[in-house]
Amino acid sequence: MPRSRDRLLTQVLNVAQMHAAEQALIAAGTDVHQLMQRAGRGAGEWVRRIAAGRPVTVLCGPGNNGGDGWVIAEYLREHGNPVTVVVAREPGTGAAKTARSLYRGAAVPGDAAVEGEVLVDCLFGSGLTRGLSDDLFELLACLARRHPHRIAIDVPSGVESDSGRPLNAGLPQSTLTIALGAWKHAHFAMPACAMMGVLRLVDIGVNEVPGAARVLARPSISVPAADAHKYRRGMLGIVAGAMPGATILASTAALRAGAGYVKLAASAAPANAPAELVVTSDLSAMLADDRLAALLVGPGFGRGDEAARILARSLHAARPSVVDADGLMLLRPAMLSGTPMVLTPHDGEMAALERAFDLPASGLRRERALALAAASKAVVVLKGPDSVIAGPEGELVVSPRASSWLSVAGTGDVLAGTIASRLAVHGDAMRAAEEGLWLHGEAARIVGSAFTAGELACAVRAAVEECL
Ligand SMILES: NC(=O)C1=CN([C@@H]2O[C@H](COP(=O)(O)OP(=O)(O)OC[C@H]3O[C@@H](n4cnc5c(N)ncnc54)[C@H](OP(=O)(O)O)[C@@H]3O)[C@@H](O)[C@H]2O)[C@H](O)CC1
Ligand SMILES: [K+]
């Protein structure tokens, strides 16, 4: 598989995939010592820059994560940075033993209460199989209290790489986490991703793994063609309910995310509707309009029988659609017609969809999203601080942790309007979901803190500008 650096920087591997990728490199002639040198020296350079001459303590465990630690320590020593290794456990692997034997600096037993500026956590990495024993947990916590800056190597010790589950309560917060070779799911899954600090990745030569998950990346959005017009850029129809707020938020975002024309089918024009929003009371005419490129169904919908009938009628129009909010609570398998579709549930709506599609509401969020995508043949955006996008063919995209300021009412309507607008532009459900989720997160970064959903919707335009 060709190795393109940008694809490397976005693939997310589970422990088994990472192990297989490392074994493939070893089989192709790179030995594990070389891999450890690449990992350790790459991470060591990050540590050296951050330490900037201040004393560094490296905590080493028994496995290859610990081996990385010995390489990092030797790298710092060679570059004249004061370093001490705390030996939590003597190395148990060949590579780690070799790395320890190459280290020429100070090493102290694991019971030492060493103080310093920077702690490098190489206790455990992706090989953690169970919670830390009391003595190891106490050692890690004690050292963390004594070092203001804490750098986790590969993953913070105590975190399960595949699930992002902390296997101990009260694990220390890291200021920086340096992933080795490829991102792991823990880097983007709650609660682990909230305790990692800034994320960095060190390339050790791992090739592209077919079918691996990817990290959501900035999309490329084209400027409208010279001969574009509002219909060619995509007309979006919004089928909304009686609650005006959700409709206004979704349409405000949709008007800024690329669609050439946004039309709302509602019994009456909501007060304060944007002037650019065309409102019609004739839903049938809108659904029958050949120029309709995509539909958004659900904002402010309500959950009664009438709403269910309108949802079924709208989806029967067989246009690329986004179903959001109450539309998700009403969605049934029989309403699906195989046209491109994006579902945008939060955890509560996800449970309702799993009931409707007879799916178990248990397991990792990414696995549940994949199961619903396979069952519904729709793209599923399972929203949250750790949003995931799952495609019907098993595609999986994980989002970097979004701003916690998004936890206000209405931001989901903004996301749905943004995705629907992108869907109206090109009709590709997976691409629309990725573009919309990225624009939503970027708009939140642009508006900064304490923003309203309305301010977020208006910032979608600036986020689009960053993709041109
Ligand atoms: N594999 C490679 O080519 C490279 C790996 N890199 C780094 O290595 C780690 C993964 O290394 P691995 O040795 O698989 O795992 P760990 O270092 O995390 O340690 C696992 C060892 O620790 C034991 N273990 C697991 N959990 C505990 C626990 N709670 N308490 C005590 N001991 C524990 C485990 O043995 P068990 O049989 O007891 O499970 C292992 O002995 C990866 O994260 C990278 O940092 C390099 O980066 C690149 C080359
Ligand atoms: K670690």
Side-chain angles (χ1 to χ4, degrees), residues 22 32 35 39 62-65 68 124-127 129-131 154 180:
E22 286 162 353
V32 65
L35 283 181
N64 284 342
N65 194 244
D68 292 340
F124 295 109
S126 56
T129 53
R130 55 198 182 283
D154 210 19
L180 303 173

Side-chain angles (χ1 to χ4, degrees), residues 407-440:
S407 51
V408 285
T411 55
D413 301 310
V414 173
L415 175 63
T418 307
I419 293 175
S421 186
R422 299 309 306 160
L423 190 61
V425 170
H426 49 62
D428 179 326
M430 191 68 191
R431 191 174 143 205
E434 291 185 52
E435 290 171 346
L437 186 60
W438 189 91
L439 290 169
H440 187 253

Side-chain angles (χ1 to χ4, degrees), residues 59 65-66 68 120-126 140 151-159 177-178 180:
L59 174 62
N65 194 244
D68 292 340
V120 178
D121 161 17
C122 290
L123 187 58
F124 295 109
S126 56
L140 175 64
I151 299 174
I153 299 300
D154 210 19
V155 287
S157 295
V159 163
T177 296
I178 301 174
L180 303 173

Side-chain angles (χ1 to χ4, degrees), residues 15 18-19 21-23 25-26 30-40 61-69 89 91-93 95-96 121-133 135-136 153-155 157-159 161 167-168 178-181 184 202 204 206:
V15 174
M18 185 68 204
H19 189 68
E22 286 162 353
Q23 290 312 311
L25 283 176
I26 291 168
T30 310
D31 76 17
V32 65
H33 304 283
Q34 282 172 291
L35 283 181
M36 191 164 282
Q37 287 296 322
R38 276 183 206 166
N64 284 342
N65 194 244
D68 292 340
R89 290 283 189 276
T93 68
D121 161 17
C122 290
L123 187 58
F124 295 109
S126 56
L128 185 80
T129 53
R130 55 198 182 283
L132 304 180
S133 51
D135 64 317
L136 288 176
I153 299 300
D154 210 19
V155 287
S157 295
V159 163
S161 290
L167 299 184
N168 294 79
I178 301 174
L180 303 173
K184 315 305 183 296
V202 168
I204 64 168
V206 163

Side-chain angles (χ1 to χ4, degrees), residues 259-322:
Y261 187 148
V262 180
K263 180 178 263 189
L264 168 66
S267 46
N272 313 321
E276 304 84 353
L277 178 65
V278 174
V279 182
T280 174
S281 57
D282 189 344
L283 173 61
S284 303
M286 185 175 88
L287 295 177
D289 188 335
D290 292 342
R291 298 164 302 183
L292 185 66
L295 278 176
L296 166 58
V297 193
F301 220 45
R303 299 184 189 179
D305 294 345
E306 177 56 14
R309 272 192 296 279
I310 293 172
L311 172 63
R313 245 177 85 196
S314 304
L315 296 184
H316 188 66
R319 305 297 167 93
S321 301
V322 174

